[in-house]
Amino acid sequence: MSRKFTRSSKLKQHKLCEGSAQIEPNYPDSSSAYADEGSAAHLLGRVCLEDGTDPADLIGHTFEKFPDYPVDREMADAVDTYVEICRPLLDESELNGTEAEVQIGAIDNSGEIDFWAVIGKTLYVVDYKHGAGVFVSVVGNEQTRSYASGLLAEVELYAEVEDVELCICQPRMNNISREVISADELRSWAVETRGWVDRCVETIEAGGQLPFNPGIEQCQFCKAKDDCAARTNWIVEEAFGGLTFEELDLSIDKPIAPNSLSQADLARCIEIADAVSGWAGDIKKRAMSDALAGKEVPGYKLVEGRSSRDWTDVEKAIRKLRRMGLKSDDLYTRKALSVSQAEKKVGSKNAKKLADVVVRYAGKPTLVPESDKRKALDPVGDAFADIESES
């Protein structure tokens, strides 16, 4: 093929929905502030590991490649957790690397490993995640395994490896997860994955269409998600076809009472609602993009939203307000830093000294899938009696 079929960061998505791998090249890559900030944090980690410096020593420093993301206390603290994991491995090993590019035979592509080291007969691979929005587990992680499989093939030229320890370090979500697999298991995964890639490529080269399999997880970061007919059809089926009045044994002539749904039906409705809400946001985003580009969206038009006002010259405005009789206390507002803002400024070590002046209020209960890593609450008792739940 003239292009690579998949890449490590997309591997799980493409295995779940092969059709997305076939059509995504038709859509442009997009960056985001989150991605750029993450790249700056990765660079900070590499510099600290290679130069032996501590992240805190670089607070205030701005990397030329990322001028909009200077190293602040939050970034330094997060990267410090990563450095503390890698540095002992670095000191103990003779074979190691940071930000190392490897060829990944399983997917016929390349990838970049944040940190790796060989100690004894164990290969260690550490993947740093700066994001704080989506929890990433290392168990069965396709991206991390693909990196490790490519690295294993190269390392075995110099060292004997029996086990591979994979680690995802995601400090801003308090997530340090590890998985140990045998080198044989990793090789088997690579062979199976390569077989899957070859089969998909053969289908495309023969003029075939790979099947679509839309779902919440595989659609989340798909570049084609707001333009995908398969996803739209799936959402409509889930929302209006997968849960009918007949299946619920309800009469269509009477109002649907919430307690008419069984607990199993209620759980299924939440699943459908999650899928629909994400799809709806993407559809509106696509429609707005088209309208701004001058494309007609039948039945809709662009209008000016709520306007806002600001001073064109703050100092001039202050002088005018003083002449109108306003005093300094009337002209300015003062507000203490929040706990989080203060902790960012003083750093995690000094933050402990604030414990006696900080109170932690219980968060509002929120309903999440059982797979969520947070501890389940006991709804019995008075602790949450007066707290409204989050919708």
Side-chain angles (χ1 to χ4, degrees):
M1 297 183 66
S2 59
R3 63 171 179 82
K4 303 297 184 182
F5 174 69
T6 188
R7 62 179 186 267
S8 296
S9 61
K10 286 283 188 175
L11 190 51
K12 183 176 184 179
Q13 173 198 316
H14 291 164
K15 281 188 174 183
L16 289 171
C17 180
E18 296 172 358
S20 68
Q22 187 171 356
I23 67 170
E24 274 197 307
N26 299 323
Y27 297 84
D29 288 323
S30 60
S31 185
S32 69
Y34 299 113
D36 292 341
E37 182 185 28
S39 296
H42 275 82
L43 180 54
L44 174 62
R46 190 191 80 187
V47 169
C48 290
L49 288 172
E50 292 180 349
D51 297 349
T53 55
D54 292 327
D57 295 336
L58 293 174
I59 292 176
H61 177 76
T62 300
F63 295 109
E64 184 178 352
K65 190 175 180 181
F66 304 103
D68 296 329
Y69 301 96
V71 178
D72 59 14
R73 175 63 66 177
E74 183 181 18
M75 182 186 293
D77 284 349
V79 173
D80 186 61
T81 302
Y82 165 68
V83 170
E84 287 182 355
I85 291 173
C86 299
R87 193 160 275 162
L89 300 174
L90 181 66
D91 294 340
E92 192 177 343
S93 64
E94 294 184 1
L95 276 177
N96 54 65
T98 58
E99 301 288 324
E101 184 171 334
V102 294
Q103 295 301 312
I104 305 170
I107 59 174
D108 191 25
N109 210 331
S110 62
E112 194 168 80
I113 297 177
D114 296 333
F115 176 83
W116 66 272
V118 177
I119 300 175
K121 294 183 180 181
T122 300
L123 171 62
Y124 295 85
V125 177
V126 183
D127 188 12
Y128 177 74
K129 304 289 187 186
H130 193 63
V134 179
F135 183 96
V136 183
S137 173
V138 76
V139 179
N141 188 285
E142 299 278 350
Q143 180 180 12
T144 310
R145 288 193 175 197
S146 70
Y147 291 154
S149 68
L151 180 62
L152 177 63
E154 295 184 9
V155 166
E156 285 185 311
L157 298 175
Y158 311 98
E160 182 181 356
V161 176
E162 293 183 354
D163 295 303
V164 181
E165 180 174 308
L166 307 173
C167 173
I168 284 182
C169 173
Q170 192 178 18
R172 296 169 73 205
M173 293 202 75
N174 297 316
N175 171 29
I176 309 297
S177 58
R178 292 181 171 88
E179 179 185 40
V180 179
I181 60 176
S182 69
D184 286 339
E185 183 180 351
L186 186 58
R187 293 188 197 98
S188 296
W189 175 91
V191 170
E192 291 174 4
T193 298
R194 184 56 198 244
W196 168 77
V197 169
D198 289 343
R199 176 181 61 78
C200 290
V201 170
E202 287 174 5
T203 298
I204 295 173
E205 291 183 338
Q209 173 63 59
L210 294 173
F212 290 96
N213 177 39
I216 293 176
E217 188 171 14
Q218 52 268 45
C219 292
Q220 184 175 14
F221 297 113
C222 179
K223 293 192 293 183
K225 66 181 180 179
D226 60 356
D227 193 36
C228 179
R231 185 191 186 206
T232 298
N233 291 334
W234 166 66
I235 290 294
V236 171
E237 173 63 24
E238 288 289 282
F240 305 109
L243 197 63
T244 65
F245 291 113
E246 290 76 18
E247 290 171 332
L248 291 175
D249 194 26
L250 298 172
S251 170
I252 198 168
D253 296 325
K254 66 180 181 181
I256 302 174
N259 59 4
S260 298
L261 298 172
S262 70
Q263 294 306 108
D265 291 331
L266 184 61
R268 179 66 176 143
C269 285
I270 293 174
E271 200 175 315
I272 292 171
D274 286 342
V276 170
S277 60
W279 167 79
D282 292 330
I283 286 295
K284 289 182 177 180
K285 180 181 176 182
R286 158 72 190 280
M288 176 61 78
S289 176
D290 283 358
L292 290 172
K295 298 179 182 178
E296 181 184 2
V297 180
Y300 291 86
K301 62 182 179 180
L302 282 176
V303 298
E304 183 179 345
R306 182 178 179 180
S307 63
S308 61
R309 298 184 300 164
D310 203 352
W311 302 117
T312 57
D313 185 327
V314 174
E315 294 304 319
K316 184 177 180 180
I318 293 295
R319 290 194 297 272
K320 284 196 170 191
L321 290 169
R322 285 188 187 280
R323 289 196 294 270
M324 294 177 187
L326 295 186
K327 306 299 183 183
S328 293
D329 288 345
D330 299 320
L331 293 170
Y332 300 98
T333 59
R334 295 185 64 187
K335 183 180 179 181
L337 294 174
S338 68
V339 175
S340 296
Q341 290 170 334
E343 288 176 341
K344 287 181 182 179
K345 287 184 176 294
V346 302
S348 57
K349 294 180 181 178
N350 285 326
K352 297 176 182 178
K353 300 176 183 178
L354 299 171
D356 63 331
V357 291
V358 173
V359 60
R360 180 181 295 275
Y361 297 105
K364 290 184 178 181
T366 180
L367 196 62
V368 299
E370 288 184 345
S371 58
D372 192 284
K373 302 297 181 181
R374 285 170 287 184
K375 181 181 178 181
L377 296 176
D378 179 4
V380 180
D382 298 327
F384 297 96
D386 298 323
I387 300 178
E388 296 180 359
S389 63
E390 291 182 359
S391 58

